[in-house]
Amino acid sequence: MAREHGSGADGPARRAGDKGRYGRLSRERVLLAALEVVDRDGLSGLSMRRLGAELGVEAMALYRYAPGKDALLDGLVEVFCLQVDREIEQGPAAPDGAAVSPDWRACLHRIARATLDVALRHPHVVPLLATRLLATPLARRPLPVLRTDERVLAVLHAGGFSESDTVRIHRRFTAWLLGYLLVELRAMDDDPGEPDPAFRIGLHRIPAGELPRLRATAVRLVDRGGPDELAAGLDALLLGYPD
């Protein structure tokens, strides 16, 4: 089959057309299909070959839209952030009807709740929110990812905070939200089909002699905190800042 592009500065060679079972591909279609694969099979189930099969094209046809798996992972974070933006836009209006309200606490709560809602729909993507931040420098992150920081910074600027307080609150907000998502969605079930909670989490595998407090509390740790605990923790972090 003839090559459409050579390898080199323009990217890897493509040896297959990009018209699959759903018509001609686009970057958006490729990323949404990758999201479907990850939602169904987890991050370990995502590969260029698997994604090509999902779309009905050869894997090489995908390199026009994502140079490799790292680009796909960055793209999944991008799609996640776009969905958070959409969730915020479709949620309750800001108190003054503006995109950035002077009620900065309410705005931060809206951002946090929207992020949690999207995370619950796409839990396998949540680890990427941390790992891709560690692997991808700020200026190289996709624009929708950078807009999440821009939104928080704009909220705090509108709230009248100094630059130092803005940075401090942004760090607290980001750390709490990301940490909460990772704890809320961490794997807990050892045998998901088991109706008994103790056997479902594999309590018998936790040595009572070495880990007595963890063993005694493990069944309760499975319970999710939900949006109420997310909001309570955020309020606690923001104590001391004026409205």
Side-chain angles (χ1 to χ4, degrees):
M1 188 174 294
R3 294 189 178 200
E4 295 184 29
H5 293 282
S7 60
D10 293 332
R14 292 197 300 132
R15 295 174 293 182
D18 61 357
K19 191 172 183 180
R21 65 170 64 100
Y22 304 113
R24 191 163 297 282
L25 300 184
S26 65
R27 186 169 181 275
E28 179 183 14
R29 181 169 292 168
V30 168
L31 293 180
L32 288 175
L35 183 62
E36 290 181 8
V37 171
V38 169
D39 284 344
R40 184 181 66 236
D41 303 325
L43 287 170
S44 62
L46 180 65
S47 67
M48 300 298 272
R49 185 183 299 275
R50 177 79 64 87
L51 184 56
E54 186 83 6
L55 290 163
V57 300
E58 293 186 29
M60 290 302 295
L62 301 176
Y63 285 96
R64 176 179 177 182
Y65 309 98
K69 188 170 180 179
D70 279 348
L72 280 180
L73 299 180
D74 285 334
L76 288 173
V77 178
E78 178 180 346
V79 172
F80 185 99
C81 292
L82 286 170
Q83 292 196 9
V84 172
D85 283 347
R86 191 173 303 120
E87 195 82 19
I88 292 171
E89 291 168 1
Q90 293 175 351
D96 66 349
V100 176
S101 166
D103 188 349
W104 61 275
R105 292 178 189 272
C107 287
L108 291 184
H109 276 281
R110 290 173 63 215
I111 295 169
R113 177 60 187 270
T115 306
L116 175 61
D117 288 345
V118 175
L120 292 173
R121 294 200 298 267
H122 307 296
H124 295 303
V125 179
V126 170
L128 297 177
L129 304 181
T131 59
R132 298 317 298 167
L133 287 179
L134 294 173
T136 310
L138 177 69
R140 295 185 180 273
R141 294 170 196 162
L143 186 58
V145 179
L146 294 176
R147 284 198 189 106
T148 62
D149 290 308
E150 175 69 18
R151 185 188 295 273
V152 174
L153 294 172
V155 163
L156 298 174
H157 177 76
F161 288 100
S162 66
E163 185 171 329
S164 59
D165 278 342
T166 293
V167 171
R168 190 174 296 113
I169 296 172
H170 173 270
R171 183 178 291 117
R172 289 186 183 188
F173 175 78
T174 303
W176 169 247
L177 178 57
L178 179 56
Y180 188 85
L181 295 179
L182 292 174
V183 171
E184 185 81 338
L185 298 174
R186 60 186 169 172
M188 296 295 283
D189 287 346
D190 182 57
D191 183 1
E194 169 60 53
D196 184 280
F199 284 105
R200 186 167 66 249
I201 67 170
L203 192 64
H204 59 286
R205 300 181 187 278
I206 301 175
E210 295 180 49
L211 305 168
R213 296 319 312 155
L214 179 60
R215 169 116 181 189
T217 314
V219 173
R220 292 297 304 275
L221 289 177
V222 177
D223 297 337
R224 288 183 172 175
D228 289 342
E229 286 195 15
L230 173 65
L234 182 55
D235 282 335
L237 285 173
L238 299 176
L239 280 176
Y241 287 102
D243 291 322

